[in-house]
Amino acid sequence: MEIARTRLTCPECGTQLSRAGDDAPWCASCEWNLLTPASKLATRWDRALFAEFSRQRPTKPPRTPLGVALVIVSVLLGLVPFALLGWGAWLLANGSWLLGPPLPVLAFLLRPRLGRLPGKDFRLRREQAPTLFTLIDRVAAAAGTPVPEIVTISSDYNASTYRMGFRFTRGLNIGTYLFATLTPQQRVALLAHELGHQVNGDPARGLLVRPALTTFGTLANMFGAYESMREVVFGGKSMMPLRFLMFLVGRVFLAVQVGLSVLVFRDRQRAEYLADGVAVDVAGSEATASLADRSVLGSPIVRLLAYRADTKGPADWPALVAGFHAARQEEISAYRQLTLRESNLWDSHPPSGLRARIVEAWPQKSPAFVLSERESARIDAELARWYGLAYQRLLN
């Protein structure tokens, strides 16, 4: 996605308008026409948080009435499947074969989701990548976070931490398309940011609040809330009254889900800025800001890797992406602006453009330690198999 100047001028300030692909043009100077109707309210909140946290780095949020309310709602929702199961068993015991059987099924559908751990084929063992695991240990020690219990590999331009399974196992997932293209110090920033999520107070990551943030979305999906009105009305005339009633009930559940997502919007975005703060403390300000810009340029970078796959393999990716990034340095402000256009009320992350800017606004810090080029190259050698699998996906 290239950003080009158009022949049109801004009606507000007279500056030439910019355009990315076939999207609507906007003014990079005064931001006229930058936002869509859907992104205006979310962006207003994004900017309010940016203004607050750019003046002073956020701290871990204290326990709030909202947090207590979410825990209470989650506990009550967690009891619902057991109540339905007991009610269904009582009805069956009393010979009610019409209402009894559906209740255990509904209880199963509404059971708390603890998540399923990735399969062993996606897991990385310490003996397979000792240099990478040593780096993770160093980052965790510098950040003051627990070391992940498992590390998994995926073919994504992303990375994440998670807690899943009955033991609520801590895991770290590394996306090869992203990790393979980063500089050594950006890799430190990426790991520090992800491990920072273990200690940043993100309300959506707690086991006690997960039911409140997922149950109503599950119900909305069960009742067909994501279907269009046209599908409901014309999908089958004989069932239309029932489908329409279910659609309306599903939309109520969806509204509750969106409302809960909006309520935790502030704390979730605060948690992302806190994780960026951890990355700054460990990897330094420069590497953390440049990592955020790699997220800003994420879609064009993935398209570049796919377009050049016939001639450029994983060994060429770091130089290829570094050159792409450097060539767009003069336009990086416009690319950052474009991330605001995609903002919405239930996005857990602040726009990447604001994350890059806020790191630059904070007092600049040097890294706690520096990953050498030699160590980074050893990590690449350890991950060569997974890089190769990701490369084959591009070729196919």
Side-chain angles (χ1 to χ4, degrees), residues 156-179:
D156 296 317
Y157 191 84
N158 197 4
S160 61
T161 52
Y162 51 87
R163 300 192 70 178
M164 293 183 180
F166 289 106
R167 293 180 55 247
F168 216 34
T169 302
R170 289 187 179 89
L172 168 68
N173 181 69
I174 298 173
T176 47
Y177 292 136
L178 174 60
F179 196 78

Side-chain angles (χ1 to χ4, degrees), residues 14-352:
T15 304
Q16 271 188 304
L17 298 182
S18 299
R19 185 194 295 273
D22 296 327
D23 292 344
W26 85 100
C27 179
S29 179
C30 71
E31 297 189 349
W32 173 84
N33 206 40
L34 171 64
L35 304 179
T36 65
S39 65
K40 283 184 179 179
L41 179 58
T43 299
R44 187 179 305 162
W45 289 8
D46 289 332
R47 284 174 165 160
L49 288 177
F50 173 82
E52 177 183 352
F53 296 145
S54 61
R55 291 190 298 267
Q56 183 173 0
R57 276 178 52 173
T59 56
K60 187 175 180 179
R63 179 72 68 181
T64 63
L66 171 62
V68 174
L70 284 174
V71 171
I72 294 173
V73 171
S74 287
V75 170
L76 293 176
L77 289 173
L79 294 175
V80 167
F82 298 101
L84 291 172
L85 189 61
W87 187 16
W90 182 83
L91 289 173
L92 288 172
N94 286 273
S96 179
W97 296 98
L98 179 62
L99 296 177
L103 293 179
V105 176
L106 184 58
F108 175 78
L109 294 174
L110 294 179
R111 72 194 186 281
R113 273 21 178 223
L114 299 178
R116 180 177 296 178
L117 291 171
K120 293 184 178 181
D121 290 343
F122 300 95
R123 298 189 194 184
L124 192 64
R125 298 190 303 275
R126 186 173 287 269
E127 59 269 22
Q128 292 175 304
T131 312
L132 174 62
F133 275 84
T134 298
L135 173 61
I136 293 172
D137 293 341
R138 293 174 69 189
V139 171
T145 66
V147 176
E149 297 168 74
I150 62 173
V151 176
T152 53
I153 300 291
S154 63
S155 297
D156 296 317
Y157 191 84
N158 197 4
S160 61
T161 52
Y162 51 87
R163 300 192 70 178
M164 293 183 180
F166 289 106
R167 293 180 55 247
F168 216 34
T169 302
R170 289 187 179 89
L172 168 68
N173 181 69
I174 298 173
T176 47
Y177 292 136
L178 174 60
F179 196 78
T181 61
L182 297 179
T183 67
Q185 207 58 22
Q186 287 171 347
R187 292 177 172 183
V188 177
L190 176 70
L191 296 176
H193 173 91
E194 295 305 333
L195 295 183
H197 279 297
Q198 304 283 4
V199 294
N200 64 359
D202 187 344
R205 292 177 182 267
L207 177 64
L208 288 178
V209 301
R210 186 174 292 179
L213 298 178
T214 59
T215 299
F216 292 102
T218 301
L219 288 168
N221 189 51
M222 287 170 53
F223 280 81
Y226 297 98
E227 293 183 336
S228 68
M229 184 66 74
R230 181 181 181 86
E231 290 173 326
V232 172
V233 173
F234 298 104
K237 292 184 179 180
S238 61
M239 297 292 291
M240 196 274 282
L242 178 60
R243 289 189 67 189
F244 184 71
L245 179 61
M246 292 182 62
F247 173 78
L248 292 179
V249 173
R251 283 300 173 104
V252 172
F253 288 134
L254 181 60
V256 174
Q257 179 67 50
V258 171
L260 289 171
S261 298
V262 171
L263 286 177
V264 300
F265 177 89
R266 175 185 174 85
D267 282 345
R268 295 202 70 180
Q269 294 217 355
R270 175 200 286 264
E272 285 297 328
Y273 284 132
L274 270 166
D276 284 333
V278 172
V280 167
D281 293 337
V282 176
S285 300
E286 182 180 352
T288 305
S290 64
L291 174 66
D293 281 337
R294 290 293 179 90
S295 180
V296 169
L297 297 170
S299 294
I301 286 175
V302 172
R303 285 197 293 270
L304 174 68
L305 296 180
Y307 180 74
R308 301 292 298 275
D310 288 340
T311 57
K312 300 291 184 181
D316 306 306
W317 288 350
L320 179 66
V321 172
F324 179 87
H325 189 170
R328 280 143 189 83
Q329 200 59 44
E330 292 184 2
E331 301 168 345
I332 199 64
S333 177
Y335 278 103
R336 289 177 177 180
Q337 285 179 340
L338 271 183
T339 64
L340 297 175
R341 184 174 277 181
E342 302 167 2
S343 182
N344 61 67
L345 287 175
W346 43 90
D347 196 338
S348 63
H349 289 60
S352 300

